[in-house]
Amino acid sequence: MATSKLINEVQNKVEINDAIQPTSFDPGKHSDVERIKVESNYLRGTITPSLQNSVTGSVADDDLMLIKFHGIYQQDDRDLRNERRKQKLEPLYSFMIRARIPGGVATSQQYIQMAELATKYSSGSLRLTTRQAYQWHGVFKRNLKKTIAGINETMLDTIAACGDVNRNVMSNPLPETSKIHAEVFEWTKRISEHLLPQTRAYHEIWLDGEKVESSEEPIYGQTYLPRKFKTAIAIPPYNDVDVFANDLGFIAIVENNELIGFNVVVGGGMGSSHGDQTTYPRVGNIIGFCDLSQVLAVAENVVKVQRDFGNREVRKHARLKYTIDSLGIDNFVAKLHAYLGFELPEARDYQFIHNGDRYGWIEDENGNWHLTLYIHSGRIIDSEDKKIFSGLLEIAKIHNGEFRISPNQNLIISNINPTIKDKVSAILKTHNISIGETESPTRLNSIACVAFPTCSLAMAEAERYLPSFVDKLEEILSEYSIRDLPINVRMTGCPNGCGRPFLGEIGMVGKAPGKYNLYLGASHTGHRLNKLFRENIGEQEILETLRPILKDYSESRLTDERFGDFVIRTGVIKAVENGLDFHK
Ligand code: SRM
Ligand code: SF4
């Protein structure tokens, strides 16, 4: 169809926008979550009575879905489930709270307050996530409101950290090129603010805000989006945010040290279900370039196209990636252009060199220092040998800069004044916190999602298992003298993909306790997915499968050739160019 005809057609539809987006629930057609949203009165539901009900540690069924929009998940400790069942007790319900922190940047003061909340109301630890957010695990219902009020007192919040809306907007956290980083960070915050839900429900429920009869959602409408929506901004040459794993991505284009705009990426995502070939991970398509005056319009209208054309019947086909594959990319782009009222010109040249973190000290152009620490799976906790929680708190008390979360679950202490550099080093040393000097590059490039015991969807261990798996992998790497080469290892407890495992050069995805699907062949730049190599195998078989391939890699890799590229070049596995080819 000619673009102009399509533009007219879509513009007509835009005028009757509410008719495209369902405002009433059709039980024969829509998923039940659509009913919950429609009946919720803009995300209020019965959350307040649920919080007041002291008979149970949980909330009402419909509220389970609604609290996600407020940044909260109900969980129970899966290690204790059977024991409690035997004792005829309800599961030990508690809540995970996720803060929305655009670009993962918090001041030292905010960090101190967040750590204090962890000590007071949660498990005494903080969890850094793969989307640059903080999580508190193990908050009991009676402490939910106090914790959320405490987070808001730090001038951060939790609204839209989860739910069928745009989530925390990510961006490159390491500000060694301060000027460009600062500008991109401003865009990160602007996009995040622009796409925030407008309902007053959050303030009413958690902050005792004044009750307002009705709310309006100019961008979302009362049924919000068909599914979660994620946005990230990358600053080349680094793709640490894994921009192609997002529903919407922006790649910063810099000319003569000026940010001039962004390449626009749409339709990335990782989630899939084992055994269901209609679900698949997908890397986003680059669909053009937008200048700075167009960024918010692009973000808003990609969201609106997804709002109006996304699948509201089957939730597992509701992400933007499926909307794009069912419409066809050209048709999707034509619709977007029609919504925008202008066409995006061609994308500009850019280059990514990797999607990992850069550890240790880096001095920026203003003479300040930035220190990237290695935090295994983002878990800020005191253990017998490493006092990460206490050490970081001590640093926060003398440091007048920021704490920035990396998209790979690590922490950057940022804008350190040269006068306290030695003190910071000394604190790290006494608390045994690593700046990545002793770990192998493979360990430093590894990610594991949370999985057991808190994640209700986990099929196998990830965070608790990755360290011992990497120990064994390192033995093989040492045997073949390749311990100094970085290989991205990404492990998750299920195929939802929270550790972006389908972009790992070695991906391990949980299938059952102790069993994983093994994937190989992703690029280290985040451009190419990996592919299933062996299914449902345990540790011994995984290591035996990898051993000969790693041996070959040690003997016949090309100069600077990365493992993911090597397995493709040597025919160990086929390259996946596109999500639709993932299962072929
Ligand atoms: Fe995730 C669901 C943890 C990043 C795809 N994810 C969950 C839940 C909330 C389980 C649940 O629904 O009950 C997990 C809570 C575990 C816990 O105890 O904390 C969970 N996801 C995480 C985190 C904490 C993993 C981590 O180790 O850091 C990450 C939090 C990010 C944040 O701050 O917002 C996290 N999740 C991701 C990513 C990576 C990313 O976005 O870059 C993905 C893949 C990208 C994508 O969305 O496609 C991801 N999570 C999912 C999915 C599958 C979505 C899909 O399209 O199918 C689910 C399940 C769902 O939504 O139904 C899920
Ligand atoms: Fe849980 Fe699966 Fe996400 Fe891991 S990938 S945190 S197991 S939902």
Side-chain angles (χ1 to χ4, degrees), residues 450-508:
V450 179
F452 287 102
T454 53
C455 179
S456 60
L457 306 174
M459 300 171 180
E461 294 281 355
E463 178 183 329
R464 298 195 292 197
Y465 169 52
L466 181 78
S468 69
F469 175 78
V470 173
D471 286 346
K472 288 168 191 142
L473 185 64
E474 279 172 351
E475 283 172 23
I476 300 178
L477 297 175
S478 298
E479 207 179 306
Y480 299 126
S481 309
I482 50 173
R483 190 182 181 276
D484 289 341
L485 300 182
I487 300 178
N488 291 353
V489 178
R490 294 185 172 185
M491 179 188 289
T492 56
C494 85
N496 282 315
C498 301
R500 298 187 288 271
F502 304 112
L503 289 169
E505 292 177 293
I506 297 177
M508 285 168 63

Side-chain angles (χ1 to χ4, degrees), residues 68 73-75 96 98-99 127-135 137 161 167-168 170 227-228 230 241 245-247 268-272 319 321-322 377 409 448-451 454-457 463 495-500:
K68 294 182 187 177
Y73 286 84
Q74 182 175 302
Q75 303 185 318
M96 177 268 275
R98 188 182 286 161
R127 177 62 155 71
L128 313 177
T129 76
T130 50
R131 293 196 68 78
Q132 300 180 298
Y134 288 92
Q135 285 187 179
H137 285 99
R167 309 267 185 105
N168 197 35
M170 297 168 85
R227 199 71 165 85
K228 56 173 70 163
K230 298 180 173 180
V241 297
N246 285 265
D247 297 88
M270 294 282 104
S272 61
R319 291 293 291 272
K321 60 183 176 180
Y322 300 115
S377 288
Q409 306 164 319
C449 73
V450 179
T454 53
C455 179
S456 60
L457 306 174
E463 178 183 329
N496 282 315
C498 301
R500 298 187 288 271

Side-chain angles (χ1 to χ4, degrees), residues 119-163:
T119 311
K120 220 162 158 186
Y121 298 126
S122 79
S123 55
S125 68
L126 285 166
R127 177 62 155 71
L128 313 177
T129 76
T130 50
R131 293 196 68 78
Q132 300 180 298
Y134 288 92
Q135 285 187 179
W136 292 259
H137 285 99
V139 181
F140 291 118
K141 193 166 83 172
R142 61 177 179 277
N143 291 326
L144 260 182
K145 213 167 152 171
K146 287 182 261 189
T147 315
I148 291 189
I151 295 169
N152 279 268
E153 276 163 27
T154 72
M155 306 305 286
L156 296 169
D157 61 39
T158 66
I159 176 105
C162 327

